Amino acid sequence: MNRVYNFSAGPSMLPLEVLEQAAAEMTNYNGSGMSVMEMSHRSPVYDAIIKQTEADFRTLMNIPDNYKVLFLQGGASTQFAAIPLNLMKTGKADYVVSGQFSGKAFKEAKKYGDAKCIATSEDKTFSYIPEITPDMVREDADYVHVCYNNTIFGTKYPEVPNVGDKVLVADMSSCITSEPVDVTKFGVIYAGAQKNMAPAGLTVVIIREDLMGTAREDIPTMLDYKTMADNDSMYNTPPCYAIYVAGLVYKWALKNGGLEAMKERNEKKAALLYDFLDNSKLFKATAEKKYRSMMNVCFVTGDEALDKKFCKEAAEAGFVNLKGHRSVGGMRASIYNAMPTEGVQALVEFMKKFEAENA
Ligand SMILES: *Cc1c(COP(=O)(O)O)cnc(C)c1O
């Protein structure tokens, strides 16, 4: 059977080359006589894998030496609790609520201290990113939390928000490695890896060293960044296989020109789709232009029955997982790094045909 064009928001497509390499190495990794799935995380073979994965990730993201990279479990959702537990020193933190996941992060933080929502775009169903300026941030807040790309609503920060000298914490689950970011502007970046980097099971945290070691006393050991950093992400068993695949994906991204090249290709892919949507008589993009995501393109026909018909016919034609998130309906095409330009071109052709038949 042929592979389909998979527009899933996550877990999502991985580069075919990576899957083929993982398949070739499945039963006997590099002469070890065993699969990466079967080996001890304390073995020299695995040690080389995790070290190389981190080194390649650091190169790809241009991560400075005063930042630690942690390979964790629990998904981005566990970080919603880990962030306040580690970083709330005065007990205060400010949140920007620009979609569903940032709302969940905010709600979780309220359990542990005085979390305040300083801006939200809820008034227009999260179709834009609220502007923030340093004067909106409370003087004694320990950090400001943002979600950099809103997976469900298809919006993204057009630039790094200005929070003055406050520590900026960003959930980058759905945009990490899609384009270069200046890591030095952030205190913490975290991401569930299953959107743009690896299979599910791995969560990556990039944290400035001086932000560790000040967690509250009663923090669960597993959530303490210092514990994880001191043990090189091996306090317990890490998500070994997902880390190995992430390593293959990083090598693939580096071989294909790194994040500058990813950005160029992602911009081109997103433009193909948005240009079509902007000129379509049937389909309409839902996010405001200035804040459009390159990774998650959300659109509607304005008629629920027609949306449903579109998703059904698209799936039959090999374009799968185009249904929007269950909370918002409509359609969403997630076009992460692994989605080839041809996949987006083919989708646009299919949409043109559907429009001609249904407008
Ligand atoms: C998918 C997603 C999450 C949730 O990730 P899990 O790994 O499932 O916990 C959080 N934030 C953003 C921006 C996401 O896209």
Side-chain angles (χ1 to χ4, degrees):
M1 193 199 149
N2 283 332
R3 277 174 61 80
V4 292
Y5 287 121
N6 178 8
F7 294 91
S8 171
S12 33
M13 274 187 82
L14 287 166
L16 184 59
E17 264 175 74
V18 165
L19 294 176
E20 284 170 345
Q21 187 176 344
E25 294 174 342
M26 178 58 77
T27 57
N28 183 357
Y29 174 78
N30 202 16
S32 66
M34 62 178 89
S35 169
V36 177
M37 287 189 195
E38 303 171 299
M39 60 182 61
S40 165
H41 57 294
R42 311 269 178 212
S43 64
V45 190
Y46 192 74
D47 194 56
I49 293 175
I50 194 170
K51 289 219 166 82
Q52 190 61 48
T53 299
E54 178 177 341
D56 286 338
F57 185 55
R58 284 183 172 276
T59 306
L60 190 63
M61 295 269 304
N62 194 20
I63 300 172
D65 288 343
N66 63 324
Y67 283 74
K68 287 276 185 199
V69 172
L70 308 177
F71 295 120
L72 310 176
Q73 305 203 34
S77 303
T78 298
Q79 295 308 309
F80 297 166
I83 295 288
L85 287 167
N86 278 277
L87 302 185
M88 266 184 178
K89 284 182 272 184
T90 68
K92 289 188 181 180
D94 288 351
Y95 278 72
V96 179
V97 175
S98 56
Q100 207 176 97
F101 290 115
S102 47
K104 284 184 173 171
F106 171 52
K107 197 171 154 216
E108 192 74 8
K110 281 199 284 191
K111 291 186 179 179
Y112 305 110
D114 172 6
K116 184 187 171 197
C117 170
I118 56 165
T120 177
S121 48
E122 196 172 7
D123 60 329
K124 289 187 189 162
T125 0
F126 302 116
S127 57
Y128 70 103
I129 299 285
E131 297 289 335
I132 33 178
T133 50
D135 59 290
M136 293 163 76
V137 178
R138 287 181 294 178
E139 225 163 80
D140 50 354
D142 289 314
Y143 63 88
V144 180
H145 179 281
V146 299
C147 178
Y148 214 63
N149 183 82
N150 296 284
T151 323
I152 294 174
F153 299 94
T155 60
K156 172 191 173 273
Y157 280 79
E159 59 215 18
V160 180
N162 180 3
V163 295
D165 56 6
K166 281 288 173 223
V167 171
L168 183 60
V169 176
D171 177 355
M172 291 199 185
S173 293
S174 50
C175 59
I176 194 158
T177 70
S178 64
E179 63 179 337
V181 287
D182 181 353
V183 174
T184 64
K185 294 204 163 134
F186 299 86
V188 183
I189 292 171
Y190 67 92
Q194 71 274 23
K195 272 104 193 203
N196 211 15
M197 304 196 296
L202 168 65
T203 311
V204 175
V205 172
I206 305 167
I207 179 167
R208 217 174 63 208
E209 269 168 355
D210 62 287
L211 297 173
M212 295 187 297
T214 50
R216 47 192 268 179
E217 291 277 310
D218 61 353
I219 188 170
T221 308
M222 283 292 295
L223 297 188
D224 190 341
Y225 294 136
K226 181 107 182 21
T227 309
M228 290 309 185
D230 287 350
N231 290 279
D232 296 322
S233 302
M234 295 239 201
Y235 174 78
N236 72 330
T237 316
C240 300
Y241 196 76
I243 292 169
Y244 152 75
V245 178
L248 299 182
V249 171
Y250 300 150
K251 282 231 182 296
W252 171 85
L254 287 167
K255 196 178 92 187
N256 285 282
L259 296 193
E260 286 295 347
M262 291 297 129
K263 180 184 185 192
E264 199 178 308
R265 210 165 65 113
N266 288 329
E267 278 175 346
K268 194 175 149 210
K269 279 152 48 186
L272 275 171
L273 204 40
Y274 284 122
D275 287 348
F276 167 72
L277 290 167
D278 288 342
N279 292 301
S280 169
K281 286 190 184 66
L282 182 65
F283 299 102
K284 184 173 154 291
T286 52
E288 279 184 27
K289 258 189 188 158
K290 181 176 172 192
Y291 306 105
R292 285 174 171 176
S293 166
M294 284 200 292
M295 299 278 96
N296 312 101
V297 179
C298 295
F299 56 98
V300 292
T301 63
D303 174 346
E304 263 181 52
L306 203 53
D307 286 353
K308 219 171 151 191
K309 182 170 188 252
F310 173 76
C311 290
K312 183 171 175 283
E313 289 181 16
E316 285 162 6
F319 305 96
V320 305
N321 289 319
L322 281 164
K323 198 164 164 288
H325 190 266
R326 58 200 146 80
S327 63
V328 294
M331 277 77 71
R332 170 179 53 178
S334 294
I335 48 174
Y336 299 115
N337 287 352
M339 174 60 70
T341 308
E342 305 83 74
V344 180
Q345 279 164 340
L347 175 64
V348 169
E349 288 315 309
F350 176 80
M351 289 170 78
K352 280 184 187 162
K353 183 169 146 280
F354 185 88
E355 179 167 331
E357 289 164 5
N358 293 275

